[in-house]
């Protein structure tokens, strides 16, 4: 079995060249003895924070292991090499999915031996839901993923690859054996119980997102508001669990390879954004709203029949139950499939706003399309797009003297939008029209070429319709290129020609 110190070697090696360190925390170069995997890069190795080097050289606990997908992969590789344990069921034992439906569908997890094997310690640390990171990890695309629903879906997929459970071979007896276990253990039990609680108590059923303290060495995750039973990280993990469980049922490959490919770790794919950045589109292609509503309704009926949960639905009629299932499926699909993911300011490293922001009065009547021109190259990864956002904010604040980055939203070619001033605050994107509409800027120079088709669709087919449904944008909005509102070539000839075919262009 790969020792814990070797796992920590890998985690530190991953951060070389990325983790900024204050000079006061730099270790003497002799500490590079402890990081032999990067010994050819002694100078960079010694730039890793001293506490992490001390942890590594002492071979102590996994307390400072970065909460990142890249930390998980070498652990999976070692477990797969030993071939002594069922990884998804082990993860349930260590703090993964322990809900009534998980127990009903997947059975009891295996007992944990005493003492716990050395390699299981960092895995347990990453999974444990009572820590500040809430059992989540940061993915290379900048999204946060809860591990419990992710591995529950993977466990169902691997069981299906071996012949069970399938949608028509559910382990649940009675009239509810048409329940699909894959959806039940990932998303539909969570949706059903959260919207049931909202129905009874008036609580918020979905969201919010959150932010890590350090994207290079993530340790603490903080929600951006009061958490619902299904924050965005759980939703990301659930969607990934469905997608990867479906994949494994058809082609059961090692999880370490699957994770490298899906999350784009170590350049797991040659070009473009990782598959995880398309989770919303891929989930929407796999699951229709009507199917999701049926599955949520099926879960609620199963919960009514289980001894420990039947009290939750006591006094709830069939009509109310059906209404909860419909609302859960509709709101989830509208918010997390019909709307694009937006990287919040705290994740791309925004400086504070200077002064006092001025509030908009939505719904607004217009969308103004821009290109950044500089940076001139499209950004195709979270790290590059985040760097470009910081660079543009620096220029807008320090050179132009604005209070903040000018755009309302910025479009990367990594599958994500980035929050600028957002939906609520007046921007500085279109002189004379900033209070009347939102400014959306594509990273790159699009005078002669177009953004990637996915980046075009992200605004045209996702952001704008979502803004109309949410009440940020008027239903009869107008869409303009920046050049129509002032003396500029923005958004470039190629992009301006493209947006003339979009709905609302005037």
């Amino acid at each position: 079995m790969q020792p814990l110190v070797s796992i920590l070697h890998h985690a530190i090696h991953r951060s070389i060249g990325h983790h900024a360190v204050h000079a006061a925390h730099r270790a003497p170069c002799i500490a590079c003895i402890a990081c032999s995997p990067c010994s050819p890069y002694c100078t960079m190795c010694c730039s890793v924070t001293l506490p992490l080097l001390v942890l590594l050289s002492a071979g102590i606990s996994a307390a400072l292991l970065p909460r990142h997908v890249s930390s998980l992969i070498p652990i999976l590789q070692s477990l797969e090499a030993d071939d002594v344990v069922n990884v998804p069921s082990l993860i349930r034992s260590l703090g993964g999915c322990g809900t009534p439906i998980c127990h009903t569908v997947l059975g009891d997890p295996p007992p944990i031996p005493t003492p716990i094997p050395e390699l299981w310690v960092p895995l347990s640390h990453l999974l444990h839901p009572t820590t500040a990171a809430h059992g989540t990890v940061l993915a290379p695309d900048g999204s946060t993923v809860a591990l419990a629903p992710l591995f529950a879906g993977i466990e169902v997929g691997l069981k299906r690859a071996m012949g069970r459970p399938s949608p028509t071979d559910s382990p649940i007896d009675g009239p509810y054996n048409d329940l699909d276990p894959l959806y039940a253990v990932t998303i539909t039990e969570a949706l059903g119980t959260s919207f049931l609680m909202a129905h009874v108590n008036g609580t918020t059923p979905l969201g919010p997102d959150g932010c890590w303290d350090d994207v290079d060495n993530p340790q603490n995750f903080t929600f951006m508001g009061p958490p619902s039973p299904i924050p965005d990280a759980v939703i990301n993990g659930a969607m990934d669990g469905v997608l990867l469980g479906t994949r494994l049922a058809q082609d059961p490959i090692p999880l370490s390879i699957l994770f490298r490919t899906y999350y784009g770790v170590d350049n797991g794919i040659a070009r473009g954004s990782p598959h995880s950045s398309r989770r919303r589109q891929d989930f929407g292609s796999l699951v229709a709203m009507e199917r999701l509503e049926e599955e949520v309704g099926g879960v609620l009926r199963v919960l009514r029949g289980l001894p420990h949960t039947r009290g939750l639905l006591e006094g709830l009629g069939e009509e109310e139950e059906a209404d909860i299932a419909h609302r859960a499926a509709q709101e989830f699909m509208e918010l997390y499939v019909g709307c694009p993911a937006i990287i919040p300011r705290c994740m791309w490293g925004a400086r504070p706003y200077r002064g006092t922001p001025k509030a908009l009065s939505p719904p607004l009547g217009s969308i103004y399309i821009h290109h950044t021109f500089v940076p001139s190259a499209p950004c195709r990864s979270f790290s590059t797009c985040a760097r470009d956002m910081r660079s543009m904010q620096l220029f807008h604040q320090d050179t132009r003297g604005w209070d903040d980055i000018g755009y309302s939203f910025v479009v990367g070619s990594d599958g994500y939008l980035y929050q600028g001033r957002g939906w609520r605050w007046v921007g500085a994107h279109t002189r004379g029209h900033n209070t009347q509409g939102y400014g959306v800027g594509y990273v790159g120079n699009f005078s002669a070429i177009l953004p990637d088709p996915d980046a075009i669709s992200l605004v045209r087919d996702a952001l704008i319709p979502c803004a109309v449904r949410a009440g940020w944008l008027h239903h009869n909005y107008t869409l303009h290129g920046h050049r129509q509102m002032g003396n500029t070539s923005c958004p470039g000839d190629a992009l301006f020609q493209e947006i003339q075919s979009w709905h609302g262009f005037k």
Side-chain angles (χ1 to χ4, degrees):
M1 180 175 289
Q2 187 179 2
L4 174 59
V5 67
S6 184
I7 299 299
L8 295 173
H9 278 314
H10 181 278
I12 287 186
H13 183 53
R14 172 193 159 268
S15 70
I16 297 302
H18 299 286
H19 188 61
V21 183
H22 293 296
H25 293 105
R26 297 194 180 204
C29 203
I30 194 168
C32 284
I33 296 170
C35 44
S36 56
C38 59
S39 56
Y41 311 101
C42 185
T43 302
M44 290 186 293
C45 183
C46 292
S47 296
V48 182
T49 50
L50 181 59
L52 206 53
L53 281 172
V54 171
L55 172 70
L56 175 64
S57 59
I60 312 174
S61 75
L64 293 182
L65 188 67
R67 294 180 178 276
H68 196 281
V69 168
S70 295
S71 298
L72 185 60
I73 289 174
I75 302 173
L76 295 175
Q77 284 179 301
S78 183
L79 291 170
E80 290 162 352
D82 278 357
D83 198 26
V84 295
V85 68
N86 180 309
V87 174
S89 62
L90 166 64
I91 283 170
R92 281 198 295 127
S93 299
L94 293 174
C97 188
T99 65
I101 291 292
C102 270
H103 277 289
T104 302
V105 170
L106 298 172
D108 293 329
I112 300 175
T114 304
I116 185 171
E118 183 185 37
L119 186 60
W120 296 12
V121 174
L123 186 59
S124 176
H125 180 71
L126 291 175
L127 283 161
H128 209 281
T130 61
T131 63
H134 311 285
T136 62
V137 292
L138 176 64
D141 66 356
S143 63
T144 299
V145 180
L147 294 175
L150 167 63
F151 278 98
I154 285 172
E155 185 170 358
V156 171
L158 291 173
K159 287 179 181 292
R160 284 185 176 173
M162 295 185 292
R164 66 180 302 274
S166 69
T168 56
D169 183 25
S170 171
I172 301 173
D173 296 328
Y176 317 125
N177 59 6
D178 59 344
L179 190 72
D180 190 320
L182 179 60
Y183 299 118
V185 302
T186 53
I187 189 63
T188 54
E189 181 188 17
L191 283 175
T193 54
S194 186
F195 276 83
L196 177 61
M197 291 171 61
H199 177 80
V200 174
N201 302 322
T203 53
T204 300
L206 296 170
D209 202 350
C211 284
W212 291 93
D213 53 346
D214 184 340
V215 296
D216 293 316
N217 180 26
Q219 295 293 339
N220 298 301
F221 183 76
T222 304
F223 289 116
M224 295 169 63
S228 75
I230 324 180
D232 287 12
V234 170
I235 289 169
N236 289 337
M239 288 193 283
D240 289 353
V242 170
L243 295 170
L244 297 185
T246 301
R247 162 80 184 274
L248 287 167
Q250 301 166 350
D251 181 20
I253 64 174
L255 298 188
S256 59
I257 295 175
L258 180 67
F259 275 38
R260 284 185 185 278
T261 302
Y262 183 75
Y263 291 109
V265 176
D266 294 338
N267 297 318
I269 55 178
R271 181 183 179 276
S273 50
H275 298 297
S276 56
S277 68
R278 288 188 49 83
R279 65 168 62 88
R280 295 190 181 203
Q281 298 96 311
D282 292 344
F283 186 90
S285 298
L286 186 66
V287 188
M289 195 192 85
E290 293 76 13
R291 170 75 185 280
L292 190 65
E293 181 178 340
E294 290 174 5
E295 294 293 337
V296 174
V299 160
L300 290 174
R301 291 192 294 274
V302 170
L303 292 174
R304 186 188 289 277
L306 295 177
H308 297 297
T309 55
R310 61 169 57 107
L312 293 173
L313 290 97
E314 191 174 2
L316 197 70
E318 289 186 7
E319 200 169 296
E320 288 176 296
E321 189 178 285
D323 183 66
I324 290 171
H326 175 75
R327 182 186 166 204
Q330 182 179 47
E331 291 191 19
F332 171 81
M333 294 297 279
E334 284 184 355
L335 285 174
Y336 293 96
V337 176
C339 290
I342 300 174
I343 302 291
R345 293 170 60 91
C346 52
M347 281 298 291
W348 59 260
R351 291 163 140 191
Y353 190 95
R354 291 179 177 172
T356 303
K358 296 178 182 178
L360 291 166
S361 300
L364 303 188
S366 297
I367 285 276
Y368 305 110
I369 302 297
H370 301 249
H371 71 167
T372 63
F373 192 72
V374 176
S376 61
C379 61
R380 301 189 184 280
S381 69
F382 166 66
S383 59
T384 304
C385 291
R387 181 195 65 202
D388 288 348
M389 290 294 292
R390 294 190 298 271
S391 174
M392 286 187 287
Q393 186 190 39
L394 184 72
F395 174 72
H396 288 176
Q397 287 186 322
D398 291 357
T399 301
R400 293 196 167 173
W402 298 347
D403 294 333
D404 196 3
I405 188 170
Y407 305 111
S408 306
F409 298 96
V410 175
V411 191
S413 294
D414 63 336
Y416 289 98
L417 287 149
Y418 288 75
Q419 181 187 1
R421 301 206 191 185
W423 297 118
R424 300 180 182 277
W425 309 113
V426 176
H429 45 79
T430 313
R431 185 187 295 270
H433 302 273
N434 291 315
T435 61
Q436 301 166 30
Y438 298 105
V440 178
Y442 279 87
V443 177
N445 177 356
F446 298 107
S447 300
I449 62 170
L450 281 174
D452 294 344
D454 285 348
I456 290 174
S457 179
L458 198 62
V459 176
R460 181 191 62 202
D461 305 327
L463 178 69
I464 294 176
C466 175
V468 172
R469 288 195 303 271
W472 302 116
L473 191 63
H474 203 280
H475 70 278
N476 63 347
Y477 67 89
T478 58
L479 184 142
H480 304 282
H482 185 198
R483 63 174 62 182
Q484 295 174 272
M485 320 309 294
N487 184 23
T488 175
S489 62
C490 179
D493 291 345
L495 182 53
F496 182 65
Q497 183 175 359
E498 160 65 29
I499 67 172
Q500 292 179 55
S501 65
W502 294 14
H503 176 78
F505 178 82
K506 296 288 186 183

